[in-house]
Amino acid sequence: MAYEKLLNEITAVTTLKYFWRGYHEGYVKWESPDWFNKKDDIGIEVSQALLPRDGKEESFLETYLGRPKEELPEEAFLYFGSRLYFYNNRFWALLDDGENDKDVEEKIITRFQAKLKKLNTNYRLCATNALYLFAHAEIKRSAAKRIEYLMAGIAEEEAHRFDIVFLDCVSVLYLIERKKNGLSAVAIPEKARRFLTAEAEKTRVDFDDAIGTPFL
């Protein structure tokens, strides 16, 4: 499923606040990357391992995610039906319909390639450039290791690379650190995941997404 962009960004930084030892206070909302910590000189881009089936679906997501239910056009309800998911009267997600035949690994690698290209063209480069990817699926360590290998091969072709990739796989957060430990994992129990979701949703309600807004 595809979740509203700002909620995703807040969920990512909230998760890192509680589960990443390298997290320090000081992150502010940014654009390309989504979060910036000036003191640590770390930039974090947040994305989802998703491949919309067609241009209509992709355009709809970009236009309406996070918008109030009443702002969605009537034809959206006819076209997407029960795939539309609302929270607090806002369009939060477009649920899967089981027809996308791309596997999760391919989705992750495709999104990684797209973000890596942008890192090398229009991102603010930091001392540490990080990518947080929501896989929206459980992934075994062996698969994460294979993904790490594929990412390394792709990155060799670019001048600038992500120093850390956070791969959020529901019950585990994988850290792929290019210069340090390689692949490591942090378990996120179901109770903790519920807490993170609640915290992120609470923050999202009043969060001003203007550049420079601090994450507290």
Side-chain angles (χ1 to χ4, degrees):
M1 63 182 70
Y3 287 96
E4 189 257 343
K5 186 175 186 296
L6 183 56
L7 178 60
N8 252 12
E9 293 167 358
I10 293 172
T11 300
V13 74
T14 300
T15 302
L16 295 179
K17 177 181 179 180
Y18 290 100
F19 285 90
W20 179 38
R21 291 182 178 180
Y23 180 90
H24 299 117
E25 298 291 336
Y27 282 93
V28 298
K29 187 69 184 73
W30 210 256
E31 186 61 38
S32 298
D34 296 309
W35 296 103
F36 175 57
N37 188 310
K38 183 177 181 180
K39 183 178 180 180
D40 289 351
D41 198 11
I42 296 176
I44 302 175
E45 177 69 4
V46 181
S47 189
Q48 304 180 74
L50 298 168
L51 295 176
R53 266 203 325 276
D54 53 41
K56 182 180 178 69
E57 185 172 303
E58 185 170 18
S59 176
F60 179 75
L61 290 170
E62 291 178 355
T63 303
Y64 292 105
L65 274 175
R67 301 272 288 275
K69 186 175 184 178
E70 56 269 19
E71 292 185 11
L72 271 66
E74 184 178 349
E75 56 266 27
F77 294 89
L78 297 174
Y79 186 81
F80 294 111
S82 61
R83 295 183 65 198
L84 298 171
Y85 176 78
F86 296 92
Y87 179 81
N88 283 347
N89 204 46
R90 287 182 178 271
F91 174 40
W92 282 130
L94 185 62
L95 305 178
D96 292 332
D97 61 1
E99 294 184 13
N100 193 328
D101 59 359
K102 304 289 186 181
D103 65 28
V104 65
E105 183 177 301
E106 185 174 356
K107 292 178 183 179
I108 290 169
I109 294 302
T110 299
R111 184 59 65 186
F112 172 79
Q113 287 178 307
K115 291 299 181 179
L116 183 62
K117 183 177 181 180
K118 290 186 177 180
L119 176 70
N120 282 270
T121 53
N122 67 345
Y123 275 26
R124 176 184 182 133
L125 295 174
C126 303
T128 300
N129 302 293
L131 174 64
Y132 193 109
L133 269 178
F134 287 93
H136 297 305
E138 299 282 0
I139 295 177
K140 294 182 179 179
R141 189 181 184 91
S142 57
K145 193 69 179 177
R146 183 169 59 252
I147 289 169
E148 176 194 17
Y149 174 79
L150 293 172
M151 286 181 173
I154 294 168
E156 285 183 358
E157 302 176 4
E158 301 290 349
H160 304 290
R161 307 170 187 179
F162 287 112
D163 301 288
I164 308 174
V165 175
F166 300 100
L167 191 56
D168 190 320
C169 299
V170 186
S171 65
V172 61
L173 178 68
Y174 290 107
L175 282 71
I176 300 174
E177 299 179 87
R178 185 170 64 87
K179 298 178 180 178
K180 295 183 179 180
N181 305 319
L183 179 70
S184 59
V186 180
I188 302 181
E190 183 178 349
K191 185 176 181 179
R193 177 61 72 183
R194 290 198 298 269
F195 167 78
L196 294 173
T197 299
E199 286 292 295
E201 290 174 347
K202 183 171 62 177
T203 301
R204 171 65 180 86
V205 173
D206 298 315
F207 192 84
D208 182 351
D209 65 350
I211 290 178
T213 301
F215 172 77
L216 303 176

